[in-house]
Amino acid sequence: MSKVVPTQAFDGQKPGTSGLRKKVKVFQQTHYAENFIQSIFDSLDGFAGKTLVLGGDGRYYNPEVIQTAIRMAAANGFGRVLVGRGGLLSTPAASNVIRKYQAFGGIILSASHNQGGPEGDFGIKYNTGNGGPAPERITDAIFAHSQKITTYRITDTPDVDLNTLGKTSVESMTVEVIDPVADYAELMQQLFDFDAIRAMFQSGFRMRFDAMHAITGPYAHAILEGLLGAPAGTVVNGTPLPDFGGHHPDPNLVHAKELYDLMMSPDAPDFGAASDGDGDRNLIIGRNIFVTPSDSLALLAANAHLAKGYAKGLAGIARSMPTSAAADRVAERLGIKCFETPTGWKFFGNLLDANMATICGEESAGTGSNHVREKDGLWAVLLWLNILAVRGESMEAIVKAHWASYGRNYYTRHDYEEVDADGAKRLIQSLRDRFATLPGTHGIVAADDFSYLDPVDGSLTDSQGIRLMFGEGTRIVFRLSGTGTAGATLRVYIERYEAEPSRHGLDPQVALADLITLARNIASIQAHTGRVSPDVIT
Ligand code: G16
């Protein structure tokens, strides 16, 4: 039986860069998740009888909220729910299922790379019928509804068995439990030359994929070790755990240090990769060489034509503003456009739908293409494998040849995590207040706050990050993260272009040392945050 439950609005249900992310304990408050899910439904029109896709990254509290979402979808009038077995779907796989089965939309339970477990984070996000994260007009509406909500609708049916594939019903709604991997694996085979990659493994190519005890484990086992014949043991930490084994499922040089150390050791395999909590991020490391996400985007774009799914070439490239301009140089040479968007995959959706961009990427370890409307960790790994199989060269040789040809964009990001939110806001404001006076000092030629006019729907998004530009591809960017759940996280992005190959061999922290010091001083980071040094350097 469907019922209407009285509730009261909670403060702060405003979706951030990617959905609503809060501590598990916040989500566990009575009615909290229900309020947000009802606010999603209240922001949408015309879904009666339609299909909703449901899945999550398997983190702590996923099983409870999946059942809640099913009951609420039934009470709100959806006709069918497609849910991954065990309540699991990686974010890119969910995007694919939405598109493939022409669902009305989907709800993904994930806090991505944030820590899991009872003391960790949880999250809910809504994706629209194109498979992509809801655009701002919808997330704004969700927030508005969450502030005035007084009731939500839910059935009082028992839990659905999500471990058995097949159909059941909740009231008049069909619940179909699907294999979370099958549709995704099929799509990957359409894009990439699996025979060539399999042959490469057969000839002794070695890789390690660290699934970080998160959602990509089952996908990587099935695709890398199953379909592509990589030796068993290629995938490590491949069993998803509710607390990710106590680790932080963020594929960067800090949290995937073991992989990095292996790749820099004499016994390194040819190729190393990792993915995050919900499977949309990637970390790429060759033997003896770390490839920054910004460089990876540029290299993938430059070589994508080697994979059958992109043999016809790219319509365009898109990158988020803080991502380095390495991809712009590739676009220029290919004679296509490179779009610069705010941080957040949702901003790529319109460009992909309008076929203005084919490949997109972000400095935050996200790359993807028009095959789905989310970034896709395993996709990036498979495209790299396809390129390696065709070119037959080492990662190091490919990356160095790319730099020699295009120049190198030295790049680093310094994160100051969980700092005082007011101090962080003051830091940003104090930079804004100096836009008129900074140019002409320290070699700065321009200073602004990035804003984006969407070329497809004309929407304007402002206040997306402070840019200090020094000319010739050198810049410092300051921005506050939109994905944290405690205090504020200050991100400082530093970039310098170097054309001369004889100067391509430096450690980025050395190549950028003067800019790193300048960034600290110019923004008075210690005075505003109390921090002397960053928590994470990538
Ligand atoms: C999300 C967004 C990305 C964004 C990243 C970092 O990724 O989807 O577009 O680049 O957060 O955002 P911020 O710098 O605001 O923390 P994910 O993998 O967390 O869903």
Side-chain angles (χ1 to χ4, degrees):
M1 260 260 297
S2 212
K3 58 185 183 183
V4 175
V5 179
T7 186
Q8 280 185 337
F10 288 91
D11 279 342
Q13 291 200 327
K14 187 173 173 55
T17 307
S18 182
L20 183 70
R21 286 188 197 168
K22 300 280 177 194
K23 294 277 171 216
V24 166
K25 290 204 158 34
V26 174
F27 266 103
Q28 282 173 325
Q29 296 173 85
T30 311
H31 304 322
Y32 192 91
E34 289 85 345
N35 274 19
F36 190 69
I37 294 170
Q38 187 64 52
S39 300
I40 293 174
F41 295 154
D42 289 346
S43 311
L44 308 172
D45 277 323
F47 57 75
K50 301 261 171 72
T51 300
L52 181 73
V53 172
L54 275 180
D57 62 13
R59 66 178 56 229
Y60 187 85
Y61 210 40
N62 193 123
E64 291 83 352
V65 180
I66 277 282
Q67 296 289 349
T68 302
I70 291 172
R71 289 191 188 99
M72 291 185 69
N76 278 273
F78 276 94
R80 178 171 73 146
V81 154
L82 293 178
V83 54
R85 183 178 45 222
L88 301 179
L89 275 175
S90 77
T91 289
S95 181
N96 179 44
V97 171
I98 294 170
R99 294 168 66 76
K100 181 168 177 181
Y101 298 99
Q102 295 171 356
F104 185 86
I107 289 180
I108 302 174
L109 308 182
S110 168
S112 188
H113 57 290
N114 297 19
Q115 247 173 325
E119 304 301 323
D121 294 342
F122 190 75
I124 302 180
K125 68 173 184 162
Y126 178 70
N127 282 29
T128 52
N130 74 345
E136 287 199 316
R137 80 188 141 70
I138 296 183
T139 53
D140 288 348
I142 295 171
F143 180 49
H145 280 286
S146 78
Q147 289 178 298
K148 57 179 194 218
I149 190 168
T150 54
T151 58
Y152 63 82
R153 287 182 287 286
I154 192 162
T155 65
D156 53 11
T157 44
D159 280 1
V160 175
D161 170 14
L162 297 180
N163 294 318
T164 315
L165 298 182
K167 291 183 190 170
T168 49
S169 41
V170 171
E171 311 260 293
S172 56
M173 184 182 83
T174 305
V175 178
E176 199 170 332
V177 180
I178 59 170
D179 180 332
V181 178
D183 293 313
Y184 180 82
E186 187 188 301
L187 177 62
M188 292 302 112
Q189 290 173 84
Q190 288 162 18
L191 298 175
F192 304 119
D193 187 345
F194 272 43
D195 288 339
I197 303 173
R198 201 179 298 117
M200 181 169 71
F201 279 119
Q202 271 161 8
S203 68
F205 180 90
R206 291 190 304 136
M207 84 172 274
R208 172 167 294 187
F209 180 85
D210 188 345
M212 304 188 92
H213 287 303
I215 190 71
T216 39
Y219 294 83
H221 278 304
I223 295 173
L224 298 175
E225 295 175 352
L227 294 169
L228 290 170
T234 297
V235 178
V236 298
N237 301 322
T239 307
L241 298 173
D243 66 349
F244 308 114
H247 299 294
H248 209 122
D250 190 354
N252 63 29
L253 298 183
V254 174
H255 299 297
K257 185 162 185 310
E258 219 175 283
L259 178 69
Y260 177 80
D261 289 345
L262 172 74
M263 296 308 298
M264 298 302 133
S265 75
D267 192 33
D270 301 282
F271 182 63
S275 191
D276 70 331
D278 63 333
D280 56 3
R281 294 187 176 206
N282 69 86
L283 172 71
I284 300 291
I285 314 178
R287 181 194 297 133
N288 216 14
I289 191 160
F290 162 61
V291 188
T292 66
S294 294
D295 272 352
S296 183
L297 169 65
L299 276 138
L300 291 178
N303 291 284
H305 61 280
L306 301 176
K308 63 181 176 185
Y310 306 93
K312 292 195 182 122
L314 310 178
I317 304 173
R319 65 164 172 86
S320 65
M321 181 275 284
T323 305
S324 96
D328 302 37
R329 296 177 190 280
V330 174
E332 198 182 336
R333 202 173 291 179
L334 291 173
I336 56 177
K337 271 189 133 177
C338 187
F339 297 90
E340 188 177 31
T341 62
T343 293
W345 203 262
K346 60 191 168 200
F347 293 102
F348 295 137
N350 279 346
L351 297 170
L352 293 166
D353 285 350
N355 198 29
M356 293 164 81
T358 309
I359 284 193
C360 310
E362 296 188 272
E363 51 67 39
S364 57
T367 15
S369 85
N370 58 356
H371 68 292
V372 289
R373 292 295 180 274
E374 288 277 6
K375 56 190 188 276
D376 187 343
L378 259 183
W379 169 89
V381 171
L382 292 168
L383 180 49
W384 262 113
L385 288 173
N386 199 145
I387 292 166
L388 289 165
V390 174
R391 289 188 53 163
E393 298 162 73
S394 72
M395 289 281 294
E396 191 173 3
I398 291 175
V399 173
K400 288 190 170 163
H402 184 94
W403 290 340
S405 172
Y406 291 88
R408 179 173 181 186
N409 288 70
Y410 277 108
Y411 188 84
T412 189
R413 186 178 97 185
H414 288 207
D415 291 339
Y416 298 78
E417 294 182 338
E418 300 190 11
V419 301
D420 174 60
D422 290 335
K425 278 187 206 143
R426 277 197 298 275
L427 181 153
I428 296 289
Q429 190 55 44
S430 117
L431 288 164
R432 270 194 199 116
D433 293 342
R434 286 179 281 156
F435 282 164
T437 54
L438 281 172
T441 67
H442 310 287
I444 297 171
V445 296
D448 70 2
D449 199 345
F450 180 66
S451 67
Y452 177 63
L453 183 65
D454 186 308
V456 179
D457 66 15
S459 59
L460 182 73
T461 307
D462 59 18
S463 308
Q464 293 299 305
I466 308 294
R467 301 190 292 185
L468 305 183
M469 274 131 353
F470 299 77
E472 294 172 9
T474 297
R475 62 178 190 164
I476 304 175
V477 173
F478 299 88
R479 207 190 130 255
L480 300 185
S481 158
T483 55
T485 57
T489 290
L490 169 69
R491 302 203 196 284
V492 186
Y493 312 83
I494 298 162
E495 174 178 5
R496 169 179 279 141
Y497 177 68
E498 176 57 69
E500 174 49 45
S502 66
R503 289 196 291 267
H504 284 169
L506 294 175
D507 176 339
Q509 303 308 314
V510 174
L512 299 169
D514 56 334
L515 291 168
I516 292 170
T517 306
L518 178 62
R520 279 185 198 159
N521 293 339
I522 219 162
S524 302
I525 292 179
Q526 188 177 354
H528 287 295
T529 67
R531 299 287 174 82
V532 183
S533 53
D535 302 277
V536 177
I537 295 179
T538 46

